[in-house]
Amino acid sequence: MKLAEMNRKWWKEAIVYQIYPRSFQDSNGDGVGDLRGIIERLDYIQSLGVDVVWLNPCYRSPNDDNGYDISDYREIMSEFGNMADFEELLAGMHARGIKLVMDLVVNHSSDEHEWFKQSRLSRDNPYRDYYHWWPAEKGTPPTRWSYFDVEGNAWKYDEPTDAYYLHYFSEKQPDLNWENPELRKEIYDMMHFWFKKGIDGFRMDVITFISKHDGYPEFDVAYHGQNMIDMYAQGPRLHEYLQEMNKEVLSNYDIMTVAEGQGTHTHNVVELVDESRNELNMNYHFDHQSIGVGARYLLIDEDFQDLVKFKQVMSEWDGALSSEGWNTIYFGNHDFPRMVSRWASDAPEHRANASKMLTTYLLSMRGTPYYYMGDEIGMSNIKFDNIDDYNDLMTINWYNLTQKEGGDTHALLEAHKITGRDNARTPIQWDNTANAGFTTGKPWLKVNPNYTSVNVAEQQNRADSELNYFRKMVRLRKDNLTLVYGQYALLLPEHKQLYAYTRHLDDEVLLVLLNYSDTALSIDKVALGISDTTDTKEASAFILINNFSDFEMTNSTVVLRPYQAVIIKLK
Ligand code: NOJ
Ligand code: CA
């Protein structure tokens, strides 16, 4: 690979930091994070060295699904502040050289959006076709599965017009009808509205679901339940809509786009992100997240941390996008547990090193890294024992559904300690004062009790903290284009504890060694491409980063401590 031949773009070289506003910083004591809270923390965000912030939805919303149910796309959620706050936040970011990417949630709106209020009034209302309706005289509608419905049914009967409407998510999130050109135009206008304010891109919520199959045919039973995701993502007009959106809106601005790629796999991702197709820049997939996790986020087997499978998935994704398109890399976001609990270990003796190791991985792979707030200080899962502690409608509905079916609610709760979304939504731990400095009021979701030791203030000036390791790793990636564009080659694919790979650009070769286990490893040097004459002292001179203070080699082996991460410049 030659740098001169790379199709360089700012969004390929960027590091994205995700902020879930509800849980970042509360500025007015109501227990809910808000925009002024983020403004207060702008210097902190800048100190991380990240280039882009992706902000979860902050539009007007009744908050059935924490902002993913929008009742007005051009207003700010009152709990988060107002438009003046938003503009100040955007200006504050730009003044610090940080770009702002917003969430675009246009597969569905809130049932409290004016369009839906109109749509459900009568069958001939001008807004009727803004949503998907099935007239009751045609009988029961064909099966469609819903993530958040209490019965898993995506059709909801609506009395006033004797018809069912479609909702892939909760019944308060009716799906918008993209077949309707007027609806599409409304959405494009709204996107221009935000771009004209100066935002730098959109993360597109379940964008792969926007095209529905004509006439809602019955899907093959093999696709029932959660498997419907693959059908939902293959609507016949998806690419046509995205190309239209690109032409009408995206191509007019220097911005970035990323699809939340539910149902996107290595065999079809290129259709979405190949530059010559003029659709989107990037996609993020779910293939690694689903390893070992079954329906309702139950752990179906013990392989949820199977490193060999994980390496295979991640390597296939790298390969799929090595010549066309561009990959993304992430572990955590507001829909997944804390990365250190899910992918490594949050045991007190390992948590800090394990989280640094995962940071090394995210920031040394090919593809734009999406890094979730709080992971930089190694925040871990809260693991609620009680369903009453949960706020997330997904866990609550699945719990109720399991209870109704006479299923094992205990197993569901146990699994959700590892997989549940609320684990990632607990407030950021700023310091060791009450409520971790997040709020002076009662936090909307409990603070993880480990805040007394795991917090920003404690890590801010400690040289070997998780936080300062993250900053160092960010700088390393920013200073080293091999980590961005270099060819990726996996070594020792069958090794069950070691993830090792090289990154190669022009004449430079970097070797990344990650011990994904809680036991020490010794690995044959030659298998890693390290000559057997190299000694520890020599190798140490070429170490670019190491999450331990030392690194050990014998004549024939490299020794890695539990969760040790090292990047060595081989050439
Ligand atoms: C994906 C979002 O990330 C998630 O939080 C939300 O619940 C669903 N889409 C529905 O919008
Ligand atoms: Ca607040």
Side-chain angles (χ1 to χ4, degrees), residues 217-230:
E218 280 289 359
F219 292 151
D220 191 300
V221 283
Y223 289 108
H224 281 207
Q226 212 153 8
N227 291 343
M228 258 185 213
I229 293 172
D230 279 342

Side-chain angles (χ1 to χ4, degrees), residues 20 54 56 65 68-69 103 105 108 148 169 173 203 205-206 260 262 284 286 333-335 392-393 421 425:
Y20 192 67
W54 153 27
N56 287 96
D65 184 22
Y68 283 96
D69 48 320
D103 226 296
V105 189
H108 44 269
F148 299 158
F169 294 89
Q173 294 168 294
R203 171 269 186 189
D205 190 63
V206 287
E260 188 204 15
Q262 299 256 25
Y284 73 82
F286 290 67
N333 67 34
H334 64 294
D335 290 332
D392 181 12
L393 82 171
R421 308 197 295 181
R425 299 179 179 184

Side-chain angles (χ1 to χ4, degrees), residues 31-242:
V32 175
D34 45 50
L35 300 185
R36 298 222 68 82
I38 306 175
I39 294 171
E40 284 169 16
R41 297 290 183 181
L42 278 172
D43 289 341
Y44 172 77
I45 301 166
Q46 185 181 28
S47 80
L48 299 175
V50 297
D51 309 276
V52 175
V53 165
W54 153 27
L55 194 62
N56 287 96
C58 57
Y59 313 96
R60 184 141 302 168
S61 165
N63 279 314
D64 188 49
D65 184 22
N66 290 353
Y68 283 96
D69 48 320
I70 297 171
S71 52
D72 189 333
Y73 287 95
R74 295 171 191 240
E75 289 291 349
I76 298 296
M77 188 192 298
S78 18
E79 276 183 309
F80 287 175
N82 56 36
M83 195 58 88
D85 298 327
F86 176 81
E87 282 164 4
E88 190 180 326
L89 174 63
L90 180 61
M93 287 193 183
H94 285 171
R96 290 168 178 80
I98 301 167
K99 294 183 193 286
L100 178 62
V101 165
M102 301 269 281
D103 226 296
L104 182 77
V105 189
V106 290
N107 172 70
H108 44 269
S109 72
S110 163
D111 66 339
E112 296 182 36
H113 194 291
E114 188 55 34
W115 298 336
F116 191 73
K117 288 188 192 160
Q118 293 284 332
S119 187
R120 78 198 313 181
L121 282 181
S122 68
R123 289 190 181 189
D124 57 6
N125 187 284
Y127 289 94
R128 183 69 171 177
D129 286 339
Y130 274 46
Y131 295 87
H132 296 272
W133 291 98
W134 179 272
E137 63 272 19
K138 282 173 71 179
T140 310
T143 312
R144 287 296 181 273
W145 176 77
S146 163
Y147 283 83
F148 299 158
D149 186 72
V150 272
E151 281 165 358
N153 181 2
W155 291 106
K156 167 87 180 166
Y157 179 72
D158 205 42
E159 225 267 347
T161 59
D162 190 29
Y164 299 83
Y165 66 86
L166 188 67
H167 63 92
Y168 284 178
F169 294 89
S170 90
E171 62 180 60
K172 287 186 65 64
Q173 294 168 294
D175 283 43
L176 289 162
N177 179 14
W178 278 68
E179 297 282 311
N180 181 349
E182 280 171 43
L183 178 269
R184 301 206 297 278
K185 182 157 186 316
E186 297 254 24
I187 291 185
Y188 302 153
D189 287 350
M190 175 272 285
M191 293 170 75
H192 280 297
F193 169 84
W194 289 100
F195 282 130
K196 288 191 178 132
K197 283 199 182 286
I199 70 159
D200 302 288
F202 278 120
R203 171 269 186 189
M204 303 191 179
D205 190 63
V206 287
I207 195 73
T208 47
F209 291 179
I210 56 176
S211 165
K212 273 55 180 185
H213 295 77
D214 216 9
Y216 319 106
E218 280 289 359
F219 292 151
D220 191 300
V221 283
Y223 289 108
H224 281 207
Q226 212 153 8
N227 291 343
M228 258 185 213
I229 293 172
D230 279 342
M231 291 304 296
Y232 287 177
Q234 291 305 313
R237 297 181 68 189
L238 172 65
H239 298 289
E240 177 195 331
Y241 297 152
L242 292 177

Side-chain angles (χ1 to χ4, degrees), residues 12 51 132 137 152 185 188 197 231 244 255 313 349 360 370 373 436 452 489 507 547:
K12 294 183 180 173
D51 309 276
H132 296 272
E137 63 272 19
K185 182 157 186 316
Y188 302 153
K197 283 199 182 286
M231 291 304 296
E244 181 183 81
I255 47 101
V313 167
E349 66 275 28
T360 319
Y370 288 71
M373 65 173 204
T452 49
D507 298 329
N547 64 347

Side-chain angles (χ1 to χ4, degrees), residues 296-297 390 395 398 411-420 423:
R296 297 185 200 170
Y297 280 16
Y390 279 94
T395 297
W398 286 344
L412 186 119
L413 275 184
E414 285 305 301
H416 278 235
K417 286 183 184 175
I418 302 171
T419 56
N423 287 299

